[in-house]
Amino acid sequence: QVQLVESGGGLVQAGGSRRLSCAASGRTFSSYAMGWFRQPPGKERELVGTIRWGDDSTYYADSVKGRFTISRVNAKNTMYLEMNNLKPEDTAVYYCAAVPSSHVYSNLQLRTRSTYEYWGQGTQVTVSS
């Protein structure tokens, strides 16, 4: 019932910045914990970061910590991923995901793909060297 749509992907030079958006519809965006994942070519989908419902606490994978920032604007049913100092290894399809906060009982759960119940279609980010 919840639909998620990512946007903002494209081509960017190494060292540049890009902001991705994830728009939710169909159900109330509020009360959902959310995450960003990415899938590089030929590799498995991996965690980028998460944001909780209520306190907006965030968690980032070591590979992006200090460079990427996750935020959400619940009134707009939108989550963002601000990417700075992009590197060629950041090239991937980026996905947003959501799960009702009532279905989550630990922070560790938010760091695993299987926790999430709704996924967007993905948006391609290509970083040139």
Side-chain angles (χ1 to χ4, degrees):
Q1 189 65 38
V2 172
Q3 290 82 48
L4 304 175
V5 179
E6 304 93 338
S7 62
L11 299 173
V12 59
Q13 291 186 338
S17 299
R18 195 86 175 184
R19 188 175 78 163
L20 306 183
S21 299
C22 173
S25 63
R27 294 290 186 187
T28 302
F29 185 78
S30 299
S31 81
Y32 283 77
M34 302 189 71
W36 284 100
F37 292 79
R38 67 186 184 185
Q39 187 164 15
K43 298 182 179 180
E44 295 294 317
R45 195 169 300 185
E46 65 184 26
L47 175 71
V48 174
T50 65
I51 185 165
R52 301 197 301 192
W53 159 254
D55 63 0
D56 288 352
S57 177
T58 54
Y59 173 87
Y60 301 95
D62 289 342
S63 59
V64 306
K65 191 174 184 179
R67 299 189 297 121
F68 291 11
T69 302
I70 297 171
S71 61
R72 66 193 295 170
V73 180
N74 293 339
K76 297 182 178 181
N77 289 340
T78 303
M79 177 179 63
Y80 302 97
L81 178 66
E82 179 70 35
M83 304 182 293
N84 302 122
N85 191 25
L86 283 161
K87 304 175 180 180
E89 50 263 45
D90 294 319
T91 295
V93 177
Y94 283 72
Y95 298 88
C96 69
V99 59
S101 59
S102 62
H103 295 184
V104 179
Y105 60 83
S106 73
N107 291 329
L108 282 175
Q109 283 183 292
L110 297 180
R111 306 171 194 176
T112 62
R113 297 189 302 273
S114 61
T115 296
Y116 294 88
E117 299 175 12
Y118 304 99
W119 291 84
Q121 85 290 347
T123 185
Q124 176 71 47
V125 175
T126 301
V127 183
S128 61
S129 60

